[in-house]
């Protein structure tokens, strides 16, 4: 799938492989390439004997729902769920996530009136046509009472899986097709207006700079940190040699006496690089303008993929436009981790004094299990929530010879100032003492 260009539209008479390839080009990200391919292959094989339904699926997906399409059905299983690549899920949700809403929750789908085999109708067959469903956003859930498991407090920057993201196509809201102006012929960007009406998280004035970007080659920072003014919500980081300034950080002009031939070769492929876009109060989207994929460490994408924080490296293909940071989610995570650390430290102090509380006390943390891990959360762990890391051309993690981003030839670290500002507020209201060794 290195070549992500969208080929001519297949029909039900074409080989499964070419149909799968075409449908893969329209997926929205959020799932690994392997899972998406297995899910699409499974569906195409099931529909091979129902040519009219397979043609309906191809039409719906390749036109992004612009033309009416029929129900696309598979047999309902006993428990209503479908197993793909060892994971079970409701079939209409799996395919709606794949082709429309990567961050969809299972209780957010409502079928359109003309869908005859919608999941909720409990027929023997289930319609999995993503354009036969509408998204109904569920009300916000108060997570303040939850505590984190120990796995959430032991964040790592190495990553253990690579999830892949492909070019996004238009999103549909309430049956209307919505486009941003195309950046490249054939590629459109989704419109997201739901943040426009949310009140700000903090009354603090916005910081002067919305982010600062440091460029690294292996484990060495090269050049000065580049600060992006809040007046420039979109900044380009590219491989050219033009002067940097304002809304453009050019890496080609930076010199490094320790640069190797391998680093030099990788730098040649950065090309048009990436665009970082700040939306609303501090959400961040990435658009890959390079001819080569970029690789991102993002707690937001980890969460959307159902992974533990820091557990994945996310591959973003050329022309893709992907949300990589959500300020509200980050703020909730900060508050939860700070509260967990504070409660655990209190429980640890009580344990040292010989007053060991039961599992139901101190924020619901069972001291014997996660006390030391939770008490071990420090300010640096919370700061990591406010940072994105992204490598150009070369990936890292278990799928690559490089285990850490510090082993990649060229990468950037992006500090998000609004998030850091919120962290400062959280720490003032809920101070965390760095853990002291027990006697």
């Amino acid at each position: 799938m290195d070549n992500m260009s969208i080929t001519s539209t297949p029909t039900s008479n074409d080989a499964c492989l070419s149909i799968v390839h075409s449908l893969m080009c329209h997926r929205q990200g959020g799932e690994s390439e392997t899972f998406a391919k297995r899910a699409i292959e499974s569906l195409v094989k099931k529909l091979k004997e129902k040519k009219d339904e397979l043609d309906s699926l191809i039409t719906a997906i390749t036109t992004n729902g612009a033309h009416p399409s029929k129900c696309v059905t598979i047999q309902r299983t006993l428990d209503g769920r479908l197993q793909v690549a060892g994971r079970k899920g409701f079939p209409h949700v799996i395919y709606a996530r794949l082709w429309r809403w990567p961050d969809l929750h299972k209780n957010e789908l409502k079928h359109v009136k003309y869908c005859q085999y919608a999941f909720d109708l409990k027929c023997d067959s289930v319609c999995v046509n993503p354009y036969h469903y509408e998204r109904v956003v569920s009300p916000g859930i108060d997570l303040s009472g939850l505590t984190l498991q120990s796995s959430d407090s032991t964040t790592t920057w190495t990553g253990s899986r690579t999830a892949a993201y492909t070019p996004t196509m238009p999103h549909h809201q309430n049956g209307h097709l919505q486009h941003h102006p195309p950046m490249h012929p054939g590629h459109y960007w989704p419109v997201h207006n739901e943040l426009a009406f949310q009140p700000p998280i903090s009354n603090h004035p916005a910081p002067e700079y919305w982010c600062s970007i440091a460029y690294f080659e292996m484990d060495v920072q090269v050049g000065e940190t580049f600060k992006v003014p809040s007046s420039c919500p979109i900044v380009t980081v590219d491989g050219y040699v033009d002067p940097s300034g304002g809304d453009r950080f050019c890496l080609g002009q930076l010199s490094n006496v320790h640069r190797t031939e391998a680093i030099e070769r990788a730098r040649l492929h950065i090309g048009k690089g990436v665009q970082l876009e700040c939306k609303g109060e501090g959400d961040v989207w990435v658009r890959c303008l390079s001819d080569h994929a970029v690789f991102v460490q993002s707690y937001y994408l980890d969460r959307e993929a159902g992974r533990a924080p820091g557990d994945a490296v996310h591959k973003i293909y050329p022309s893709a436009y992907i949300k990589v940071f959500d300020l509200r989610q980050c703020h909730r995570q900060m508050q939860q981790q700070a509260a967990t650390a504070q409660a655990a430290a209190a429980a640890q102090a009580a344990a040292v004094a010989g007053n060991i509380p039961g599992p139901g006390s101190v924020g619901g943390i069972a001291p014997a299990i996660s006390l030391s891990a939770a008490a071990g959360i420090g300010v640096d762990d919370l700061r990591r929530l406010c940072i994105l890391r992204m490598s150009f051309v070369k990936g890292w993690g278990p799928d690559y010879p490089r285990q850490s981003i510090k082993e990649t030839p060229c990468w950037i670290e992006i500090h998000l100032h609004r998030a850091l500002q919120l962290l400062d507020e959280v720490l003032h209201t809920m101070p965390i003492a760095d853990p002291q060794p027990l006697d």
Side-chain angles (χ1 to χ4, degrees):
M1 288 300 295
D2 286 337
N3 179 9
M4 296 308 299
S5 61
I6 297 171
T7 56
S8 57
T9 306
T11 70
S12 58
N13 293 319
D14 285 300
C16 284
L17 194 64
S18 61
I19 298 172
V20 170
H21 176 83
S22 177
L23 296 179
M24 279 286 282
C25 290
H26 291 268
R27 65 198 180 95
Q28 292 292 307
E31 293 289 2
S32 70
E33 187 169 358
T34 304
F35 180 87
K37 194 171 182 184
R38 292 275 287 276
I40 295 172
E41 281 174 348
S42 167
L43 181 56
V44 170
K45 284 175 184 172
K46 285 184 172 78
L47 297 173
K48 221 23 182 150
E49 301 305 314
K50 298 189 278 188
K51 290 188 180 297
D52 58 331
E53 292 189 22
L54 182 51
D55 280 326
S56 277
L57 175 72
I58 294 167
T59 299
I61 302 307
T62 57
T63 67
N64 306 291
H67 301 295
S69 53
K70 300 174 184 173
C71 284
V72 176
T73 62
I74 61 173
Q75 187 71 30
R76 182 184 288 271
T77 59
L78 286 173
D79 68 354
R81 295 187 300 165
L82 180 70
Q83 182 156 327
V84 176
R87 282 167 46 190
K88 277 196 165 190
F90 295 114
H92 63 312
V93 177
I94 289 173
Y95 294 106
R97 278 180 185 156
L98 203 59
W99 282 307
R100 292 194 72 184
W101 305 287
D103 59 346
L104 178 75
H105 294 280
K106 62 186 178 185
N107 58 346
E108 292 179 344
L109 280 187
K110 185 179 86 172
H111 64 270
V112 296
K113 289 178 182 175
Y114 53 83
C115 182
Q116 296 176 287
Y117 297 96
F119 183 82
D120 292 342
L121 299 179
K122 296 189 166 48
C123 304
D124 288 341
S125 296
V126 178
C127 178
V128 293
N129 185 336
Y131 294 96
H132 277 206
Y133 295 89
E134 291 176 346
R135 185 174 189 179
V136 182
V137 180
S138 58
I141 300 167
D142 180 15
L143 301 176
S144 58
L146 298 181
T147 56
L148 299 183
Q149 299 302 312
S150 57
S151 62
D152 282 19
S153 62
T154 52
T155 49
T156 169
W157 284 101
T158 57
S160 65
R161 288 289 180 273
T162 304
Y165 296 83
T166 55
T168 49
M169 303 303 287
H171 273 214
H172 293 64
Q173 292 178 350
N174 302 324
H176 298 292
L177 189 64
Q178 303 184 359
H179 297 299
H180 271 236
M183 285 291 295
H184 303 292
H187 293 295
Y188 301 89
W189 314 114
V191 175
H192 293 266
N193 290 326
E194 66 269 20
L195 293 179
F197 306 107
Q198 289 187 330
I201 300 170
S202 167
N203 293 323
H204 250 80
E208 182 183 358
Y209 300 98
W210 72 264
C211 78
S212 52
I213 307 168
Y215 169 65
F216 292 83
E217 292 174 3
M218 308 297 275
D219 60 351
V220 175
Q221 182 174 347
V222 177
E224 298 293 318
T225 298
F226 183 81
K227 292 186 175 181
V228 184
S230 292
S231 57
C232 295
I234 299 178
V235 61
T236 303
V237 182
D238 60 39
Y240 300 131
V241 293
D242 299 339
S244 299
D247 62 352
R248 191 166 171 208
F249 185 20
C250 296
L251 306 179
Q253 58 163 337
L254 301 176
S255 58
N256 175 12
V257 293
H258 302 294
R259 186 172 292 153
T260 62
E261 279 186 36
I263 294 173
E264 196 63 74
R265 280 197 304 273
R267 279 168 51 85
L268 291 174
H269 293 295
I270 295 173
K272 294 179 181 176
V274 293
Q275 271 186 349
L276 304 170
E277 183 174 358
C278 182
K279 290 190 176 189
E281 193 178 350
D283 292 355
V284 180
W285 291 66
V286 166
R287 182 177 280 139
C288 181
L289 303 178
S290 173
D291 292 334
H292 294 264
V294 294
F295 299 82
V296 178
Q297 189 120 46
S298 156
Y299 290 127
Y300 169 76
L301 289 178
D302 293 343
R303 176 184 173 273
E304 294 306 303
R307 307 296 290 271
D311 190 40
V313 179
H314 303 270
K315 184 175 184 178
I316 300 181
Y317 282 102
S319 299
Y321 179 61
I322 299 290
K323 184 178 183 179
V324 293
F325 180 81
D326 185 287
L327 187 68
R328 286 177 186 275
Q329 181 221 323
C330 177
H331 187 235
R332 280 198 301 270
Q333 209 167 339
M334 282 175 199
Q335 291 175 315
Q336 290 164 19
Q337 283 194 224
T340 300
Q342 201 177 42
Q348 200 172 48
V352 171
N355 178 21
I356 300 177
S361 63
V362 197
I365 301 166
I369 299 168
S370 57
L371 180 63
S372 58
I377 299 171
V379 174
D380 284 347
D381 298 294
L382 295 174
R383 280 180 62 84
R384 284 196 189 102
L385 300 175
C386 312
I387 295 170
L388 294 167
R389 285 178 164 187
M390 180 188 305
S391 69
F392 295 96
V393 187
K394 300 292 185 182
W396 80 98
D399 299 337
Y400 297 89
R402 298 161 293 275
Q403 290 306 299
S404 160
I405 195 170
K406 292 183 178 181
E407 296 169 41
T408 64
C410 37
W411 58 280
I412 54 175
E413 184 170 271
I414 304 142
H415 290 239
L416 303 171
H417 293 192
R418 184 61 165 175
L420 289 164
Q421 198 179 49
L422 293 177
L423 175 58
D424 200 44
E425 288 184 22
V426 168
L427 292 175
H428 273 91
T429 56
M430 206 182 296
I432 296 178
D434 275 329
Q436 300 296 319
L438 294 176
D439 291 334

